Amino acid sequence: MTDLLDQLKSIEEQIEDALWSFEVHDELQKAYDIYLEAEARLNSIQLGSEEPAYAEKQRLLAYCLMRQGNLLRQMEKPQEALKLSECELLAARLSGDEVMLARSLLSNGTNRVVNGELEQGLSLIEEARQLFSNGESYDYIQGLGWCWIIEADLANAGMTHKEPGEVIAIANRVLELLKPIENWPGVARAYAARAVAFEKLGNMDAATADREEQKAYEGRIQHER
């Protein structure tokens, strides 16, 4: 059992290393290839649902597929990302982990929105938001902040109907959530979303200031690992 848990921990470290060494530096293909390798390692571990490590394997599988789907969206392969996120969501449900389930609901919802299934996608994102609201740990707060980020981005893209002032309020909420926990990728995205809203209002000075903040926090991301 100890050897198995050590193996799962090694796979999680492999995923995390790919995230921080390649994905955040926009080396998407390198990160994607490592995620595929991690998925293959996970699938090689044969466990029955009654075994103690089964839930942890499913949690890691969901996380690995989530990372792959995020890259596929960036690589403009939205249909592949959606197909993958269905498998991700199943693994998350089998894991019994509430945070992982919420993340996968958010991932699946985002993929559905990108693929034109707006109503269903928004429903899944709202379901994720409700789950993230259940806790006060780092992972819950981070997830809640990212739900709001997605909402701001959808509004800025014209996919949902919100006034720029509403987007600014959402971005402010994100900053209140994510700055204290030092989630710099989310903070950078919040400033980017707020800058777009300020631009729509014609407040170019505020937009420029937010773009500078965005760059500053993106710089912090590069030095996190």
Side-chain angles (χ1 to χ4, degrees):
M1 178 64 178
T2 301
D3 289 344
L4 179 56
L5 292 176
D6 286 343
Q7 189 177 353
L8 292 173
K9 182 179 179 181
S10 170
I11 295 171
E12 184 164 23
E13 289 172 350
Q14 179 183 15
I15 296 169
E16 288 294 309
D17 285 343
L19 168 62
W20 294 104
S21 297
F22 299 112
E23 184 175 340
V24 301
H25 296 286
D26 292 325
E27 296 184 61
L28 306 186
Q29 190 61 53
K30 286 183 179 180
Y32 185 67
D33 290 342
I34 294 172
Y35 296 149
L36 287 177
E37 181 184 335
E39 181 190 358
R41 289 178 66 191
L42 284 167
N43 287 332
S44 72
I45 300 173
Q46 301 299 315
L47 289 170
S49 58
E50 73 286 352
E51 297 184 63
Y54 177 81
E56 177 63 7
K57 175 191 171 182
Q58 294 300 322
R59 183 189 69 82
L60 278 179
L61 180 59
Y63 181 49
C64 185
L65 295 176
M66 181 183 73
R67 297 255 57 91
Q68 290 180 42
N70 182 58
L71 293 186
L72 287 170
R73 285 197 304 273
Q74 294 181 65
M75 296 159 73
E76 298 184 352
K77 298 178 179 180
Q79 293 182 340
E80 290 182 37
L82 178 58
K83 183 178 180 180
L84 198 67
S85 71
E86 293 295 331
C87 299
E88 172 200 340
L89 187 54
L90 175 60
R93 293 191 190 281
L94 291 173
S95 78
D97 185 289
E98 185 174 64
V99 169
M100 194 64 247
L101 176 57
R103 286 175 172 171
S104 294
L105 287 167
L106 179 59
S107 172
N108 192 264
T110 301
N111 284 323
R112 289 192 178 281
V113 169
V114 171
N115 279 276
E117 301 175 26
L118 182 61
E119 186 174 345
Q120 188 171 0
L122 293 176
S123 177
L124 290 167
I125 293 170
E126 179 57 30
E127 188 177 350
R129 193 202 322 272
Q130 294 301 319
L131 289 181
F132 282 128
S133 299
N134 289 340
E136 297 181 355
S137 70
Y138 178 96
D139 288 336
Y140 280 96
I141 294 170
Q142 174 185 246
L144 185 59
W146 278 88
C147 284
W148 289 117
I149 287 170
I150 297 299
E151 183 165 334
D153 286 346
L154 291 175
N156 280 335
M159 300 183 75
T160 59
H161 300 291
K162 279 186 170 55
E163 296 298 323
E166 294 178 275
V167 174
I168 291 169
I170 291 171
N172 289 341
R173 182 178 299 180
V174 173
L175 294 174
E176 290 173 2
L177 286 168
L178 299 188
K179 272 190 174 182
I181 66 170
E182 299 184 358
N183 183 254
W184 306 140
V187 170
R189 283 280 293 273
Y191 277 118
R194 200 170 72 173
V196 172
F198 277 131
E199 288 167 355
K200 290 182 178 181
L201 291 173
N203 189 341
M204 304 312 294
D205 288 341
T208 298
D210 274 1
R211 293 291 185 195
E212 291 301 317
E213 292 286 357
Q214 175 190 351
K215 290 178 183 178
Y217 282 100
E218 286 174 345
R220 293 195 187 194
I221 299 169
Q222 306 302 317
H223 295 93
E224 279 195 345
R225 286 284 292 259

